[in-house]
Amino acid sequence: MESGYVTTPFGRRPMSLGMLASQQLAETIEPGMKRSKWKLFRAICEARPALGVTDRALTVLDALLTFYPDDEISEEKGLIVFPSNAQLSLRARGMTPATLRRHLAVLVEAGLILRKDSPNGKRYARRDRAGAIGEAFGFSVAPLLARAVEIENLAAQAIADRELLRATRERLTVCRRDISKLISTAIDEAVPGDWEQMTMMFRDLVARIPRMASIEELISLLDEMGLLRAEAVNLLERHIKREKIDANESQIERHKQNSNPNCIYELEPSFDTKQGETAVANNEGMAEPLDVRRLKPPRPSAGPAGKMPDAAAAAGHGLKSFPLGLVLQACPAILDYGPGGAIGNWRDLMSAAVVVRSMLGVSPSAYEEACAGMGPENAATVIACILERGGHINSPGGYLRDLTRRTERGEFAIGPMLMALVRANGGVRRHAG
């Protein structure tokens, strides 16, 4: 195109700012730039939704490109095609003239082609004596060359989005299958846990899958289903570990009892003679038997700060913690109690939980038991959930103690609580700091 040249449509067709912008864009073609017309057309087909064109409009563009004489589009070879409506209709699979004009207008509005109308509205080319085209009137494909990089990027993004959508659908299908079979296994094997509630949550998630889902909707549902699957796996793994521990203890007990069934000392409390002391000897030089009724078994020692014994703490720490971002998405109210009004890591969350614990009237002993039974991260998470649901919980301290006891029995899972709060908050995210 000539630099600074503006062409207006023939007849009653109005000029628009979009047409003017397309003409200005067509003047920005870099020198020597060229593209294969069919590769560029394939990219346009991939990026069709982003470009705002219909499949019928692409049929017309395909027909127009067949009139371009070379395989590569370049300024040196000209950018104007000038087929008649009759010839264009034949190559557009017999499209009627009215439909053809409508889709040509769509291509112009989308900025993919330009009209360069002659004084009488006809499409033709003037040739010199050597047969070379001097000036032509018809449709310019200059916007295709000027927007080639943009179109290729849009096509690459469309392909990536399509692959992500396909992979997400596959992962969602596998996750649905896993949850369904894990819940069925847990119910069949009578594994402790609130499997009825988990089943209801699973059915609710499945019912929320739309027929024509966007990638954002699928990713959100996959996150929630992944959380539910993690909870199911967590409960089953803890049950398996508990069964192994019980089986090992039973084996050890049988081994002890069967090794020497006539020995009664194995049933009595054992003791060690302190350094510097000697056993009381009788006349025969043998140690005198002790009165076992005066001996008391040693009481289990509590850990520092009143924590549970190691075995109970180990069982409680089997509860898996969840990502901090998910916790803050489910419980945004806890952010106001973090250092400086923000929470950037688990230490900040646990500091905020101490403040909220005092505010809710939860006793230090109840919170320490929760930390020992669940782990400090999960205890802080539960405090955040209690704060978020403050209007529905009459006694936060009693509620926390009950959750701690249920955790020790393997009957409590944090995941469903977090998922319910995420849905209640509508997925609103706040900056963690």
Side-chain angles (χ1 to χ4, degrees):
M1 289 183 65
E2 300 175 13
S3 177
Y5 180 77
V6 175
T7 177
T8 57
F10 172 78
R12 292 178 294 178
R13 288 193 297 268
M15 181 68 178
S16 68
L17 293 177
M19 293 180 185
L20 185 59
S22 296
Q23 292 182 28
Q24 291 176 342
L25 178 65
E27 296 176 2
T28 62
I29 300 174
E30 296 181 3
M33 187 174 185
K34 57 181 64 177
R35 285 293 189 278
S36 168
K37 63 182 181 181
W38 298 123
K39 289 182 179 180
L40 194 55
F41 178 73
R42 182 183 293 274
I44 294 171
C45 292
E46 294 284 359
R48 180 176 66 83
L51 293 172
V53 293
T54 63
D55 53 348
R56 299 296 299 278
L58 291 182
T59 300
V60 176
L61 180 60
D62 180 31
L64 277 175
L65 290 176
T66 62
F67 290 97
Y68 193 82
D70 295 301
D71 181 67
E72 287 189 338
I73 301 175
S74 63
E75 282 190 292
E76 290 78 9
K77 298 175 182 177
L79 298 170
I80 306 294
V81 292
F82 40 90
S84 65
N85 279 349
Q87 292 298 318
L88 188 57
S89 175
L90 287 175
R91 297 198 188 183
R93 279 66 170 172
M95 191 175 291
T96 62
T99 305
L100 189 66
R101 287 193 294 271
R102 186 168 66 252
H103 290 301
L104 283 170
V106 170
L107 292 173
V108 172
E109 291 175 4
L112 296 178
I113 61 173
L114 288 174
R115 293 182 185 272
K116 187 180 178 183
D117 290 342
S118 66
N120 62 1
K122 302 294 183 179
R123 299 175 201 140
Y124 58 86
R126 289 197 178 96
R127 300 178 183 271
D128 57 20
R129 292 184 178 182
I133 296 176
E135 187 175 12
F137 299 95
F139 297 103
S140 171
V141 295
L144 296 182
L145 201 56
R147 299 179 62 186
V149 175
E150 176 196 354
I151 291 170
E152 290 165 353
N153 290 338
L154 289 174
Q157 184 62 48
I159 294 172
D161 290 344
R162 187 171 63 246
E163 288 300 313
L164 179 60
L165 182 63
R166 179 192 59 77
T168 305
R169 284 186 178 278
E170 290 178 352
R171 291 171 59 194
L172 189 62
T173 300
V174 172
C175 194
R176 285 177 59 182
R177 181 186 67 199
D178 291 347
I179 295 172
S180 177
K181 292 185 179 294
L182 288 171
I183 292 177
S184 297
T185 301
I187 294 174
D188 293 341
E189 299 292 337
V191 177
D194 196 352
W195 299 106
E196 183 177 354
Q197 180 188 5
M198 197 171 291
T199 301
M200 293 175 61
M201 297 180 72
F202 174 59
R203 290 175 179 172
D204 177 63
L205 287 173
V206 172
R208 286 167 49 199
I209 301 176
R211 184 178 296 273
M212 298 296 292
S214 65
I215 185 62
E216 291 80 10
E217 292 173 323
L218 289 181
I219 289 177
S220 176
L221 287 169
L222 181 60
D223 288 342
E224 294 188 51
M225 281 200 178
L227 187 60
L228 192 61
R229 178 174 59 181
E231 281 301 324
V233 172
N234 187 18
L235 290 173
L236 291 173
E237 286 180 347
R238 289 166 60 194
H239 178 70
I240 292 172
K241 290 178 181 177
R242 193 178 302 110
E243 283 190 337
K244 286 182 178 178
I245 292 172
D246 293 343
N248 289 339
E249 290 178 350
S250 177
Q251 262 188 337
I252 293 170
E253 186 65 24
R254 288 196 302 269
H255 175 71
K256 284 185 176 180
Q257 293 177 2
N258 295 335
S259 60
N260 190 355
N262 297 322
C263 181
I264 63 172
Y265 296 106
E266 293 180 359
L267 304 179
E268 299 175 359
S270 60
F271 72 98
D272 293 330
T273 303
K274 295 182 180 179
Q275 187 176 2
E277 294 182 357
T278 58
V280 179
N282 59 13
N283 294 333
E284 287 79 15
M286 299 296 293
E288 188 174 45
L290 296 176
D291 185 358
V292 297
R293 290 174 297 178
R294 291 182 298 172
L295 291 176
K296 296 181 180 179
R299 297 175 62 186
S301 59
K307 290 185 178 180
M308 296 171 57
D310 292 342
H317 288 302
L319 199 65
K320 295 180 180 177
S321 59
F322 293 92
L324 179 61
L326 176 62
V327 175
L328 297 180
Q329 182 185 358
C331 310
I334 195 73
L335 287 166
D336 297 330
Y337 300 91
I343 293 177
N345 51 51
W346 281 107
R347 183 180 297 277
D348 292 345
L349 179 63
M350 288 186 278
S351 299
V354 172
V355 177
V356 172
R357 187 273 304 165
S358 177
M359 183 187 71
L360 294 176
V362 177
S363 65
S365 62
Y367 186 59
E368 288 173 0
E369 289 177 6
C371 288
M374 302 178 183
E377 294 88 353
N378 289 320
T381 299
V382 171
I383 289 291
C385 292
I386 293 175
L387 173 65
E388 201 69 28
R389 300 179 57 194
H392 305 280
I393 299 174
N394 295 327
S395 175
Y399 184 63
L400 181 62
R401 288 185 187 275
D402 179 64
L403 293 184
T404 302
R405 288 191 294 268
R406 290 172 58 191
T407 299
E408 295 169 7
R409 298 195 300 266
E411 298 174 356
F412 172 62
I414 299 178
M417 181 185 295
L418 287 175
M419 289 171 58
L421 290 174
V422 168
R423 288 197 299 273
N425 292 331
V428 177
R429 294 179 180 269
R430 291 177 58 184
H431 293 292

